[in-house]
Each structure stands twice: as C-alpha cells, then as structure tokens.
Amino acid sequence: MGKDLIEKIKHYEELLVEVLNASQKYLGVISVKLLLERVLWDISQEYKEITLIHYDERGLSIEALAKTLENLPDFPVDEMFKKFFSRYVEILAKLIGKKQAEKIAEQLSKKDQQQF
Amino acid sequence: MERLITGIKNLDKILKGGIPLYSVNVISGTPGSGKTILVQNIVFNCAKSGLKTIYLTTTSESQFKMVRHLKEFEFFDDNLLENKFIYRDLAAYLRKEGWQKALEYIDQLIKEHGPNIVVIDSFKAIRNFFPDEKEFRSFVFEIAAKLSIWEITVFLVGEYKEEEVTTLSEFTIADGIFHLYGGEERRFQKRYLRILKMRGTSFEQGQHLFQIDSSGIKIFPRIKPSYEELIYEVASDKREEFGIPEFDEMLLGGLKQGTITALSGGTGTGKTIFSLKFIMEGVNKGKRGLYLSFEEPVSQLKANALSMGWDIDNLIEKGLVSFKFISPIEIDVDKHIYEIFDDIEKNKIERFVMDSVTSFEKAVDIQKYEDYLWALIQNLKKRNVTSIFTIMIDNPFSALMASELGISSLFDNIIFLRYIEKGSSIKRILGILKARGTSHSKDLREFEITSEGIKVLGKLDLKEMLK
C-alpha cells in the first residue's frame, strides 16, 4: 500500500474516533455503536468495503479495511469517507439537534484541515 | 421539536402539535379500550402522508383477520398494504428462534423497508418469551435504542393496567405513555384517554373523552380551561340588544357584550321566545347565533319562531344561525360541549343561547355539573360571546328567584320572568335582578307576547307586587 494511502487511512481512523467520542457525550456508548452500525450499513449500499470497519468495547479498528484497500489502489477512499461523515452528522442532527451536530461537524472539519 | 402528525381529531392539539419524532410510546389499556384502533388510525393517517409503518403482531393475528377488522374504518386504504403498511408476525420468530433472533429479524425488516414508524402489538405479550425480567429489560432497552437511532417513531401496544406504569421496564424507557380506559356514566359506556407522560413537549393533562366510529377515533379534549385561558380582555361597553325597545331601555341599551345572562322563569313564562328574539335581533345586526336546546326539538322552535313572524329556515340556510337539539337523555357532556365550542369557533358565533341549564343539570353527573358549567361560561367569556342560559323555576308564580340550582353567582346578569295574578287574569312580568358592571332598571314590568312580538308594558302597581 502506498505511503499516501496508509496516512490517509490513519487520518480517517482518527477522525472516526473523534466523531465517535464527541457524539458519545450526547448519545451514550450503546447508541453511538448503533449509530455507527446504521451509517456503515447506509454507506455500504454504495461501498460495501466500509463494512470492514469494526467497532466494539475495545475500540475502533479499520485494519481489515486497510488490508482490503491495499489491492484496490483506485478505490475512492476520500469520497467514501466524505459520504460517511456527512451521513453520520445528518442523522446525528436529527437525534441530538442541529446546533450540537454542527459543533461536532466543526470539530471534525478543524481536525481534518490540521492534517492536510 | 419535530413531530409526527397523528391526524386524529384533536389528538395533535392535545399534544401541542403531534408526537415527538423518534420517540418510544406505550399505548396501554384494558382489552377493548381501543388501543389497537388508535394506533392503526395513526399509522394509516401517516401512511397517507407518505410515512411507512412496520406493524409487528405478537399475537399472531392473521393478516386477513386484521384487514377484515380494518375494512370497517374509513381511514383504511388497502392500496397502502405492503406499500406503506407492512404487517409481519413477530410471535413466530419469538416462539421458534428466541428474542435475539427476533431482534435480528426486526433489524432486517428495518433495513429492507426503511420504516418511519414501528408498532409492536402486543408488547406485553412478548414478556412470555423471556425467561426473566432481566433479559426482558435488556431487550426493551436494545430495541428502544436501535429504533430511535434508525429515526423511527415507536408504538408499543399493551394491555397494561394503570398501576403497572410505575413498575414495568417498558414504561421506564418510554418517552410517551397513552393510557386508554372506559367507564360507565349515566348508563353510557364512555372511553377516555389520558397522557401520562410525554417527554420533550407539553401536553394537555387530564381525562379526554374519545369515541370510535366508522371514521376512526375522535377525541374530545376536556374543556376545563387552563390558567392561560382565563386571561382575557374585559369586554368593552358595547351592548347587545334584544330589539325590544322598552326592555333594551331597562338594560340601558342591551346586554353588555360578552356577558353571560341567566334568564329565569317557570314554564310558559316566555324564556324561549325571549331567547329566540335575542338570536333574531343578533342576525338583524349581522351577528351569527347558535341556539342550543335541551328542551324543545328544532321543529318546535321553528314553529314558535314562525308564530312570531320569524322565518328561521331561511336564516339557517344562509348560515346566519344554527339550531341544535340534544335530548337530555342523550347528552354526553364531554363530547357535546366540545362540539359546541368547535361550532362557535368555526362559525364565528357572537350570540349563544342554552335552553335550559336546568335540563343540562339533570342530564349531567352532579360532580361534573358545576365544573362544566363554569368551564363553559369561562370559555364563552373568553370568546366574547354574549350568551343567555335559561333556567327553569318549578313554580312559575314563585317569588323573585334566579335559580334553584345555586349557580346565580356564575352569571353577569340575571333576568327573571314570572306570572302574577291580576284580577281574574294571569299576567307575565319581568325584572332585572342583576347586571354586573352596569346600572339597570329596578322596575318590575308587565309584558305581553303576541303574534306581533314581545311588548314590555308599564311598571307594576305596588298593590300588584309579588306575594
């Protein structure tokens, strides 16, 4: 896997952790897991590879996804994660309110820009 | 707060707009209380707005049986079946595979159909599939969390008693609790709904009557006005005339606008004719009237009016006046009083007559009577509707009396009519006992009712005074 792709995957992993932790404050641990499962399922309708992201009591792991993407150099990783985060924040806004969801989205955006 | 509009008459009003979206709601009540019909009415109304429901039965009622019952209702539309209304048997899964598989099945259904609403009917029956309360509680928690995350509004229907609300797990996680129950009142079976809990929104507390007919569920909110409803502007000094010049003069121009008047008298003293005249004069002045009779049917009232030269039919056709008759043995005060307010608001009624309060009192449960009368009067005042309530006094020759009912303090004005013996004749007299906030004539005057109208004559002689 190219160095760029490795870094990209790592970056998205960090963003995922960030968003899960931030939303846990409002939803709680169990609902965050359910929300992640739901969004992964939604996005998997277009990008089935995303179901390789794993989340449990021990934490988040995108190792399996990373391994799969090794063999798919042209895979639209950015687009997939963009859709993921967009959908996640969209549903979050419905559950906890637009204002709170926008705060989390802003947090994500800052972290995203810091990296690149 | 985004809401699910139920489309049930007055339910959204009681809920200040509807049920909060993604909430978990328990619909509880004894068998036959109307729980299933309530939920089915809601989901079919929602289906017509494009919302999809998965309806899970845990009693294994077959689809054809369910449809057969639903077909009796106007809200049912078979085009919505398997389209916006997906009916599935959860009991089969629970029986054969256990609750974890049942949860997976629900998961699968959600992913396949993307519902906005999920109903589990009966939720209480599911308890039998769990080995203990602890496991059931886990299930309840998991299902509630999952369905909310999938942006689904949930209805859990169950045959719960009210006392179970404080003890069972499903009530702890519920955002909303609707409790349906029935009772007998004056030989009528009545159905009531109470909202015991609704997170995220205020709602109208208390007991609300509801009925089930072919159109579905109709709710009649309790009419006891809240504190906010009691704050209203005091009516101006405008007057509402009877159109009887001498009588209007006694009232210094007529009844004060927005006031409530007791028109008291024995049988045949002229209460109905005076009340009719009041309504007719209102129409002459461009004010819509509503005459509610508990005594005489509309045909009799029309005949009475015609004898005075008033053509009511024409006015009814033009929508200037409404006449309603409710038999005292058929009065359902929760329902009828609500319908009156609906009428008053919709038709912008400015003059109202209730003939008579005495019949109303005899027809209503005594506990409720004063409460309802007070609430009715307050609501009329708030709407600035000038109103007359006739009161029947048993003895038409009795001494000055406003009411045998002990309710005269509720009224702004009290006018009485009675008979006296004068020589070898019986004469009618009237007087004004009270007119709050204004002066009035203190005279006792004779009056006549002829085919040419009501004529108020001279003041009574001292020697003709009441015995």
Side-chain angles (χ1 to χ4, degrees):
Chain A
M1 183 163 40
K3 199 179 168 198
D4 280 348
L5 188 59
I6 295 171
E7 277 184 21
K8 200 177 267 190
I9 299 283
K10 199 171 154 47
H11 166 64
Y12 284 126
E13 189 178 23
E14 285 170 7
L15 283 181
L16 270 170
V17 171
E18 178 88 22
V19 80
L20 294 176
N21 288 340
S23 39
Q24 207 167 290
K25 189 168 87 173
Y26 299 98
L27 295 177
V29 170
I30 292 170
S31 293
V32 163
K33 182 172 187 286
L34 288 169
L35 178 55
L36 176 67
E37 277 170 14
R38 193 228 157 141
V39 179
L40 288 177
W41 183 81
D42 279 354
I43 304 300
S44 72
Q45 304 308 296
E46 195 180 348
Y47 304 105
K48 61 177 176 12
E49 289 81 4
I50 204 166
T51 55
L52 295 168
I53 293 176
H54 185 69
Y55 182 62
D56 60 23
E57 316 72 49
R58 287 168 294 188
L60 183 82
S61 167
I62 60 171
E63 209 178 297
L65 174 66
K67 235 184 164 123
T68 301
L69 293 184
E70 271 180 30
N71 303 318
L72 300 166
D74 296 327
F75 189 87
V77 178
D78 292 325
E79 201 177 298
M80 180 180 76
F81 276 104
K82 187 177 171 190
K83 284 184 177 173
F84 173 89
F85 287 113
S86 173
R87 184 73 179 127
Y88 190 96
V89 171
E90 182 194 346
I91 299 173
L92 195 62
K94 289 183 191 177
L95 298 175
I96 66 171
K98 208 172 163 200
K99 207 171 153 188
Q100 285 76 12
E102 275 170 2
K103 249 167 80 174
I104 294 173
E106 228 178 88
Q107 223 176 298
L108 268 183
S109 177
K110 273 191 194 143
K111 189 159 179 85
D112 195 23
Q113 281 160 16
Q114 275 167 14
Q115 205 67 23
F116 294 112
Chain B
M1 168 73 67
E2 280 183 281
R3 291 167 191 270
L4 184 85
I5 313 292
T6 68
I8 302 252
K9 182 180 164 100
N10 293 318
L11 181 56
D12 295 318
K13 187 176 168 188
I14 292 170
L15 291 163
K16 312 289 182 195
I19 295 173
L21 278 183
Y22 324 137
S23 56
V24 176
N25 302 278
V26 176
I27 315 293
S28 76
T30 51
S33 54
K35 308 178 295 297
T36 295
I37 297 172
L38 174 65
V39 170
Q40 287 174 344
N41 200 166
I42 293 173
V43 303
F44 271 91
N45 289 348
C46 291
K48 287 167 190 165
S49 310
L51 301 182
K52 190 182 278 192
T53 296
I54 291 179
Y55 198 104
L56 299 167
T57 177
T58 62
T59 58
S60 290
E61 185 186 36
S62 63
Q63 182 149 343
F64 96 85
K65 228 181 171 184
M66 189 259 319
V67 169
R68 200 170 69 176
H69 294 145
L70 277 176
K71 264 164 58 169
E72 303 303 313
F73 295 102
E74 288 163 18
F75 62 74
F76 174 72
D77 179 354
D78 59 3
N79 291 320
L80 298 168
L81 291 176
E82 288 308 304
N83 172 7
K84 298 291 182 197
F85 182 86
I86 319 282
Y87 187 77
R88 294 290 184 267
D89 185 354
L90 188 64
Y93 256 90
L94 285 163
R95 258 195 313 272
K96 293 175 193 162
E97 316 269 358
W99 68 269
Q100 268 131 347
K101 284 285 178 198
L103 259 181
E104 282 176 27
Y105 176 57
I106 293 173
D107 205 49
Q108 180 198 316
L109 285 172
I110 290 168
K111 287 172 179 171
E112 186 182 338
H113 298 286
N116 307 97
I117 299 167
V118 165
V119 178
I120 302 179
D121 184 6
S122 131
F123 195 72
K124 193 176 184 187
I126 289 183
R127 287 178 158 274
N128 302 330
F129 296 103
F130 290 80
D132 54 44
E133 184 66 21
K134 191 176 166 194
E135 269 204 54
F136 181 68
R137 214 177 300 135
S138 303
F139 170 78
V140 171
F141 183 76
E142 225 180 298
I143 202 163
K146 182 184 283 284
L147 295 179
S148 296
I149 289 294
W150 279 87
E151 300 164 71
I152 294 168
T153 309
V154 185
F155 294 98
L156 307 174
V157 183
E159 287 168 4
Y160 302 100
K161 295 179 205 146
E162 200 173 332
E163 43 274 28
E164 290 176 306
V165 170
T166 52
T167 53
L168 299 183
S169 346
E170 47 270 57
F171 292 102
T172 323
I173 57 103
D175 300 299
I177 303 172
F178 297 78
H179 187 66
L180 281 63
Y181 55 103
E184 198 175 285
E185 194 180 288
R186 304 181 70 250
R187 296 175 296 110
F188 288 113
Q189 286 299 320
K190 298 179 93 166
R191 295 175 190 269
Y192 295 102
L193 166 93
R194 272 201 302 139
I195 301 171
L196 302 179
K197 177 179 171 187
M198 188 59 68
R199 283 197 198 121
T201 180
S202 58
F203 56 91
E204 278 192 40
Q205 307 222 8
Q207 180 172 277
H208 308 290
L209 177 79
F210 75 93
Q211 289 187 340
I212 302 175
D213 61 26
S214 60
S215 68
I217 300 253
K218 280 191 188 112
I219 293 180
F220 301 94
R222 68 171 184 86
I223 62 155
K224 212 164 182 176
S226 60
Y227 170 71
E228 293 79 18
E229 289 194 310
L230 292 175
I231 302 166
Y232 49 81
E233 281 177 23
V234 174
S236 66
D237 234 359
K238 290 189 186 152
R239 300 277 171 164
E240 299 288 336
E241 297 167 0
F242 276 81
I244 308 165
E246 306 83 6
F247 187 53
D248 287 328
E249 211 183 292
M250 288 175 76
L251 290 163
L252 301 189
L255 297 173
K256 255 185 131 178
Q257 196 181 73
T259 57
I260 314 295
T261 300
L263 179 62
S264 136
T267 186
T269 48
K271 300 184 299 301
T272 298
I273 295 292
F274 261 87
S275 304
L276 281 169
K277 178 67 177 143
F278 180 69
I279 293 288
M280 292 297 119
E281 185 62 16
V283 170
N284 287 342
K285 300 241 175 329
K287 301 193 180 209
R288 286 198 165 95
L290 171 61
Y291 196 111
L292 172 64
S293 170
F294 296 122
E295 305 242 332
E296 290 175 277
V298 175
S299 53
Q300 186 59 56
L301 290 170
K302 284 182 184 176
N304 293 346
L306 209 55
S307 71
M308 306 295 292
W310 305 324
D311 181 6
I312 291 182
D313 277 322
N314 187 31
L315 301 176
I316 292 173
E317 251 170 74
K318 291 180 180 168
L320 298 170
V321 80
S322 306
F323 283 80
K324 275 185 171 32
F325 169 68
I326 304 171
S327 161
I329 53 173
E330 297 294 323
I331 290 176
D332 183 339
V333 67
D334 299 286
K335 175 184 165 198
H336 288 127
I337 297 297
Y338 188 82
E339 283 179 343
I340 288 163
F341 285 127
D342 221 17
D343 232 322
I344 288 174
E345 279 212 38
K346 256 193 245 165
N347 298 317
K348 298 187 181 12
I349 300 293
E350 293 179 75
R351 291 194 179 194
F352 172 73
V353 168
M354 180 190 268
D355 183 13
S356 68
V357 153
T358 322
S359 297
F360 180 59
E361 188 217 358
K362 287 177 180 155
V364 176
D365 186 84
I366 196 69
Q367 305 271 23
K368 287 186 173 182
Y369 169 65
E370 275 195 36
D371 276 353
Y372 272 93
L373 195 59
W374 185 81
L376 179 59
I377 286 172
Q378 291 306 319
N379 272 285
L380 288 165
K381 283 185 165 199
K382 182 172 169 66
R383 287 161 174 79
N384 204 38
V385 178
T386 315
S387 307
I388 290 178
F389 287 60
T390 69
I391 299 176
M392 170 76 84
I393 302 296
D394 276 342
N395 181 359
F397 288 88
S398 72
L400 293 185
M401 191 186 252
S403 158
E404 289 153 340
L405 312 174
I407 52 166
S408 48
S409 57
L410 296 175
F411 298 98
D412 301 303
N413 316 306
I414 300 175
I415 300 166
F416 66 89
L417 311 174
R418 58 159 285 180
Y419 288 119
I420 56 160
E421 294 162 21
K422 192 175 178 182
S424 56
S425 314
I426 294 170
K427 301 287 178 186
R428 290 187 172 107
I429 64 159
L430 59 80
I432 303 165
L433 257 187
K434 168 181 162 186
R436 203 175 273 154
T438 182
S439 315
H440 58 88
S441 165
K442 308 282 191 287
D443 296 346
L444 294 173
R445 301 245 229 151
E446 192 180 330
F447 71 95
E448 283 176 346
I449 300 174
T450 68
S451 56
E452 276 146 39
I454 302 168
K455 193 152 172 64
V456 175
L457 306 173
K459 199 173 154 179
L460 269 189
D461 258 334
L462 204 65
K463 56 188 172 193
E464 290 162 334
M465 281 298 287
L466 308 154
K467 295 172 186 124

